[in-house]
Amino acid sequence: MKRFKTLVSIILMSCMLLGMTLTAIAADSPETDGIVRRVRAAIDAAGRRVDVRTRAVPEEYKAVAAALDMNTVRELLGDDYVEGMKILDIRDVFVAGDEGLVEWPVTVTFEVPGILATTNVGVLCYNKVKGVWERITAVAGAGTITATFDSLSLVAFIVDPATAEGVSDDDTSPKTGEASVAVAGVVAMLAVVVACGLGRKKEFGK
């Protein structure tokens, strides 16, 4: 009985710690969430490398990102719009360091899994001064999307899933952390089951 109680205590403690860890993983992280996570290269007008990075949409602009719909995308992309396109991701793109040293425009190559050189893509950038989304000329590559910007802000990546690999045609872009939350729920349920088993063991031991 004593060994059983010790074992159950260890299991419950492990479940609790694992659940806490998974919750931390599920929290919003600018380095891990989203699909467009990395900038492969960024070159300014003078041919110099620029440290451009991406992160999650800041809290104050989440409403702006959420309001972007396919009607707006269709209107902005014009003739480049292809039926079936979807908003793959929206990221906050910024210069890490002194932006005053940068000679604009800056050409940025983003690493985007599933994109092919033949993928139909589109890029929109949010103009914070005007409060509107603007179309940016974009070119697809092998696992990349390259675009040239006069300034950096929120960037929306639009793709045609039919011309990409491993990109779902679901309207909702996958968000890192949802799977972790689900696993955390399973862990919590396991903890409850073990606790119930302990209670029954005590009853039988009386």
Side-chain angles (χ1 to χ4, degrees):
M1 175 65 73
K2 185 175 181 180
R3 290 182 179 178
F4 177 78
K5 289 183 177 180
T6 301
L7 178 59
V8 170
S9 297
I10 293 174
I11 293 174
L12 287 172
M13 185 175 294
S14 299
C15 288
M16 181 179 68
L17 291 175
L18 180 58
M20 292 172 63
T21 302
L22 289 172
T23 300
I25 293 174
D28 192 18
S29 169
E31 299 301 325
T32 60
D33 70 340
I35 297 172
V36 183
R37 306 175 186 177
R38 183 173 175 269
V39 170
R40 183 171 293 184
I43 306 295
D44 73 0
R48 296 174 300 190
R49 288 186 173 274
V50 181
D51 187 4
V52 174
R53 304 179 186 180
T54 75
R55 59 189 172 195
V57 176
E59 191 65 36
E60 62 268 31
Y61 288 104
K62 284 187 176 180
V64 171
L68 179 62
D69 57 29
M70 293 311 298
N71 289 329
T72 301
V73 170
R74 184 183 291 105
E75 180 181 347
L76 291 175
L77 293 186
D79 293 339
D80 288 336
Y81 178 81
V82 176
E83 197 63 42
M85 275 185 158
K86 61 170 285 186
I87 300 172
L88 182 68
D89 202 358
I90 298 178
R91 301 289 283 172
D92 184 30
V93 183
F94 65 101
V95 173
D98 188 355
E99 192 171 316
L101 299 177
V102 178
E103 289 192 31
W104 302 89
V106 173
T107 299
V108 185
T109 298
F110 301 91
E111 193 170 287
V112 189
I115 298 301
L116 307 174
T118 54
T119 300
N120 296 316
V121 301
V123 170
L124 304 179
C125 186
Y126 184 68
N127 187 319
K128 295 179 180 178
V129 176
K130 297 180 180 179
V132 296
W133 288 93
E134 297 175 335
R135 174 187 172 184
I136 304 296
T137 301
V139 178
T144 65
I145 293 178
T146 300
T148 300
F149 301 85
D150 290 322
S151 63
L152 294 175
S153 177
L154 299 187
V155 176
F157 300 86
I158 319 299
V159 302
D160 173 17
T163 57
E165 287 186 348
V167 177
S168 171
D169 58 2
D170 189 346
D171 290 337
T172 305
S173 299
K175 292 180 175 56
T176 300
E178 291 180 352
S180 297
V181 172
V183 174
V186 173
V187 171
M189 289 176 64
L190 177 60
V192 172
V193 171
V194 173
C196 291
L198 177 59
R200 290 186 177 181
K201 183 68 176 179
K202 287 182 177 180
E203 290 180 2
F204 289 138
K206 290 181 179 180

